[in-house]
Amino acid sequence: MERHSYDVVVVGAGGAGLRAAIAAHDAGARTAIVCKSLLGKAHTVMAEGGIAAAMGNRWPEDNWEVHFRDTMRGGKMLNNWRMAQLHAQEAPERVQELEDWGALFDRTDDGLISQRDFGGHKYARLAHVGDRTGLEMIRTLQQRAVALGIDVFMECTVTDVFKDPSAGAGPGVVAGAFAYWRESGRFIVFDAPSVILATGGIGKSFKVTSNSWEYTGDGHALAMRAGASLINMEFVQFHPTGMVWPPSVKGLLVTESVRGDGGILKNSEGERFMFDYIPEFFKAETADTVEEADAWYDDKKNNRRPPELLPRDEVARAINSEIKAGRGTPHGGIYLDIASRRTPEFIRKRLPSMYHQFKELADVDITAEAMEIGPTCHYVMGGVEVDADTQESAVTGLYAVGECSGGMHGSNRLGGNSLGDLLVFGKRAGEHASSYAASLGGTRPQVDEAHVKAAQKSALAPFEVEGGENPYTIQSDLQQSMNDLVGIIRTRTELEESLAEIEAFKVRASTMVVEGHRQYNPGWHLALDLRNMLIVSECIAKAALAREESRGGHTRDDFPGPDAEWGTKNLVVNLNAEGTGVDLHEKALPEMPDELKGYFA
Ligand code: FAD
């Protein structure tokens, strides 16, 4: 079997993985990147709007304190305060560094990096490249990683994290990872004391999603199987604006920049309805008349923000309510109109990808007509529970970063804060993983050969079954079930029903069958991914059932408001002792120091 030895193995080549690998390499570690698609194809490449960083290029008043406050308020105070603080403090330097490495950002008139408005951010704060920021970010990081000579294993999927069995009690110590080449189906063992999970999100567990095929929650599940816990899994972000038509592109993202640049939401009666949905929490800073909202675009100092730029959870719920009340569009969405508000030249310059996306996929000219949009599963706030400063999980040597880690965004992520998160915590994870590996000297954790055999057997299990079910049917049923029962609005009965259905999917998956051979076999790949999707789905449904309140990306019809008691705790999930299901417990939020509490007075 192919075998490699490294100090640090990074699983994932999105923004988080690439930034972590660069940091680990710069800190002296022998580093490898393993990614299940081609290098450059990670999900980060799809990010449109920008990177949130309080650089103060448009608003000198902006600083890390305001960004920290916005992030915590956006997350409805459930964020890990330390992560939100580090993120706000370090994001500007990370953006500047990207520019030093060759990223070409849009500019202000006086030549600084341009920053645009996004929901929940008090000031224009998103450093951007048109609406293709993720592409530029990946291009820059990837070029640097390749130039540094970091080894890359692409089209290679990690299916297990190994621990050293001699490490004794406790969550354990990492020894390496197990993977297979997608093309040949052959296995690889990585011996490494540090493994950084940077595998992105979980969106493919839902039917309508902005996420690509890769987002099957692999890192979440790998961490759980290795003994780490996940936090905040009930909080799934449904982006307010996904395409609704034609069916083949349902869920595809329509960037928030459309609203940041002047777009407004209207129902089928032509009403600009967001004024009816301004929650108490944001009343003081949101315009309550059309005049003030429109004046804000030209005079931000003397006017409050339009309600279309409330945090995503608020806007998604409002859209959902309008559609449910029968004021939706012919294809079951709501209108997003920038055509009547900006010139065609402005739209084509600021939103080139959106212009092409609608023209080519829906035959809609967004400079001349309104778009039809609706909520789409977009991002998971929940992820691996990590130490805020180092990104290490409870398992020694196992780190998680980017969308597969949890805590930073609380119950709701602000737009732009993910790309900042990848850079800030990618660097931190890489540095800490590297220094931990170096601290071990010559005595490293060892991969147990019995574990290698077990990983191999488990990966090949779907070939051994006869007469079982095809993984595609189970995946499709799971996606529909999660959409219907654990979607944007939840109830106890539906969540209980969902957990019963997940149990049934688990039984079906235990006998799923794969046809053919190990050489490029998408059915087999899906069978392996599906195990992860099932674990992650159970975590989401279980945590959503337990949290009896509505907050951020978790709305319970039977508990419609936030609850003060629930606002003091997180929900944490682990794999049960038998490895067959998910255990859940409550955990108090870490105490915020008094000097930071002052920002919320
Ligand atoms: P990814 O970029 O998804 O990378 C995951 C990597 O892990 C991939 O290389 C994949 O191949 C690899 N991988 C997964 N599983 C395995 C495995 N088992 N073995 C090996 N490799 C594996 N956020 C913002 O802040 N601003 C925006 O403007 C913005 N726009 C967005 C637009 C869209 C359409 C979408 C979908 C998201 C957007 N987001 C935005 C969110 C943001 O893009 C993501 O949260 C972020 O890019 C995730 O980065 P990541 O590095 O964690 O994961």
Side-chain angles (χ1 to χ4, degrees):
M1 194 178 305
E2 191 176 338
R3 197 151 184 157
H4 301 272
S5 176
Y6 288 97
D7 299 324
V8 177
V9 168
V10 181
V11 187
L18 288 170
R19 188 62 191 84
I22 291 168
H25 175 277
D26 287 349
R30 283 180 307 113
T31 306
I33 298 171
V34 188
C35 52
K36 76 179 185 184
S37 58
L38 288 169
L39 190 63
K41 287 268 185 185
H43 208 173
T44 303
V45 88
M46 294 162 73
E48 293 160 356
I51 313 169
M55 308 177 83
N57 290 355
R58 287 204 182 269
W59 288 86
E61 296 89 327
D62 199 9
N63 55 41
W64 79 261
E65 286 96 335
V66 189
H67 190 182
F68 166 71
R69 180 177 173 275
D70 290 348
T71 300
M72 293 294 301
R73 279 170 61 80
K76 307 282 157 56
M77 304 305 289
L78 227 57
N79 321 52
N80 177 309
W81 65 265
R82 176 70 179 151
M83 289 174 92
Q85 180 192 27
L86 289 171
H87 174 253
Q89 287 173 332
E90 295 176 9
E93 213 178 313
R94 296 286 77 77
V95 172
Q96 203 59 60
E97 178 181 73
L98 265 194
E99 182 170 65
D100 295 344
W101 293 349
L104 294 168
F105 288 100
D106 289 356
R107 321 304 298 180
T108 62
D109 289 343
D110 39 7
L112 301 172
I113 291 178
S114 171
Q115 299 194 269
R116 67 159 39 121
D117 284 298
F118 246 50
H121 292 281
K122 180 164 185 189
Y123 298 114
R125 188 179 279 148
L126 269 70
H128 60 99
V129 185
D131 54 3
R132 295 174 183 147
T133 312
L135 176 64
E136 185 66 357
M137 182 166 167
I138 284 287
R139 185 192 66 79
T140 308
L141 291 173
Q142 189 176 301
Q143 257 177 18
R144 189 162 182 89
V146 170
L148 291 171
I150 297 172
D151 290 349
V152 179
F153 297 76
M154 56 180 161
E155 299 208 284
C156 181
T157 301
V158 172
T159 56
D160 280 284
V161 170
F162 291 130
K163 294 197 296 186
D164 184 335
S166 68
V173 175
V174 162
F178 184 80
Y180 68 92
W181 291 109
R182 297 174 75 82
E183 193 185 346
S184 64
R186 299 180 72 85
F187 296 122
I188 315 181
V189 172
F190 293 96
D191 292 279
S194 290
V195 172
I196 302 178
L197 301 172
T199 53
I202 57 92
K204 273 292 162 192
S205 287
F206 290 81
K207 188 172 168 70
V208 179
T209 178
S210 64
N211 291 190
S212 71
W213 66 272
E214 288 180 84
Y215 266 19
T216 50
D218 294 7
H220 291 73
L222 284 167
M224 274 184 106
R225 278 199 229 105
S229 31
L230 307 187
I231 191 167
N232 291 345
M233 287 304 288
E234 64 275 37
F235 299 115
V236 177
Q237 182 167 83
F238 292 85
H239 195 291
T241 59
M243 291 179 79
V244 294
W245 188 259
S248 57
V249 294
K250 190 166 175 163
L252 203 66
L253 194 77
V254 180
T255 176
E256 192 165 323
S257 316
V258 178
R259 283 170 288 137
D261 285 345
I264 55 170
L265 295 164
K266 289 186 194 160
N267 60 24
S268 58
E269 292 164 15
E271 243 180 298
R272 190 171 167 185
F273 59 84
M274 276 309 299
F275 291 98
D276 302 335
Y277 294 93
I278 305 170
E280 206 49 51
F281 195 67
F282 293 106
K283 269 212 163 108
E285 54 205 53
T286 310
D288 50 14
T289 62
V290 169
E291 293 69 33
E292 185 182 359
D294 284 349
W296 175 85
Y297 289 100
D298 297 322
D299 177 6
K300 294 186 169 112
K301 268 209 172 95
N302 297 308
N303 296 287
R304 292 171 298 170
R305 305 164 66 78
E308 283 85 1
L309 290 177
L310 281 163
R312 289 175 177 174
D313 53 327
E314 309 292 353
V315 184
R317 267 193 299 271
I319 292 174
N320 196 61
S321 302
E322 286 295 306
I323 297 170
K324 270 200 164 159
R327 294 188 286 272
T329 64
H331 299 115
I334 278 295
Y335 293 111
L336 171 59
D337 171 28
I338 193 165
S340 71
R341 299 177 52 85
R342 299 284 180 258
T343 62
E345 296 70 40
F346 177 95
I347 297 169
R348 275 196 294 266
K349 174 152 190 280
R350 297 278 292 192
L351 303 162
S353 300
M354 283 304 106
Y355 176 75
H356 287 291
Q357 182 172 311
F358 273 89
K359 196 94 193 92
E360 275 157 36
L361 302 177
D363 197 22
V364 167
D365 177 357
I366 68 168
T367 68
E369 49 191 318
M371 297 159 248
E372 279 186 70
I373 56 84
T376 177
C377 175
H378 183 58
Y379 185 89
V380 64
M381 271 65 76
V384 184
E385 189 182 22
V386 289
D387 174 77
D389 286 74
T390 63
Q391 299 291 112
E392 192 173 25
S393 71
V395 180
T396 304
L398 184 64
Y399 301 77
V401 67
E403 193 169 338
C404 81
S405 70
M408 157 71 201
H409 306 284
S411 69
N412 175 54
R413 173 180 72 91
L414 293 187
N417 270 0
S418 172
L419 295 189
D421 170 358
L422 312 183
L423 296 173
V424 168
F425 295 106
K427 177 169 190 286
R428 285 181 160 268
E431 286 171 354
H432 286 281
S434 165
S435 71
Y436 163 68
S439 75
L440 294 171
T443 44
R444 295 192 156 203
Q446 296 299 310
V447 172
D448 185 333
E449 293 313 312
H451 292 179
V452 175
K453 283 208 172 71
Q456 195 172 349
K457 187 162 178 239
S458 161
L460 293 175
F463 288 110
E464 307 298 323
V465 180
E466 270 177 34
E469 208 177 333
N470 164 339
Y472 290 100
T473 340
I474 307 173
Q475 185 204 32
S476 160
D477 291 352
L478 172 71
Q479 290 170 329
Q480 189 69 57
S481 167
M482 289 298 284
N483 231 74
D484 294 347
L485 304 173
V486 199
I488 191 163
I489 309 285
R490 301 156 173 182
T491 64
R492 170 189 293 278
T493 340
E494 287 184 348
L495 290 167
E496 284 170 348
E497 204 182 314
S498 145
L499 283 164
E501 290 195 0
I502 290 169
E503 281 311 309
F505 295 139
K506 278 158 63 175
V507 173
R508 286 166 61 186
S510 67
T511 57
M512 67 189 154
V513 65
V514 170
E515 306 284 339
H517 305 281
R518 279 159 64 183
Q519 285 83 4
Y520 206 91
N521 184 336
W524 179 41
H525 304 167
L526 177 63
L528 298 179
D529 291 348
L530 190 55
R531 298 174 179 180
N532 303 331
M533 295 167 79
L534 285 165
I535 293 181
V536 164
S537 300
E538 185 174 349
C539 293
I540 297 171
K542 214 160 219 171
L545 178 62
R547 185 171 282 275
E548 295 187 329
E549 66 156 355
S550 292
R551 183 183 296 268
H554 169 65
T555 304
R556 286 281 298 258
D557 217 14
D558 40 356
F559 297 94
D563 174 273
E565 175 66 22
W566 275 107
T568 63
K569 54 196 175 191
N570 289 130
L571 288 172
V572 177
V573 286
N574 289 86
L575 212 56
N576 65 19
E578 301 75 38
T580 52
V582 170
D583 287 340
L584 173 143
H585 65 272
E586 295 176 2
K587 190 170 185 179
L589 291 181
E591 182 71 16
M592 189 188 285
D594 287 342
E595 72 266 21
L596 295 182
K597 277 187 191 152
Y599 298 127
F600 303 95

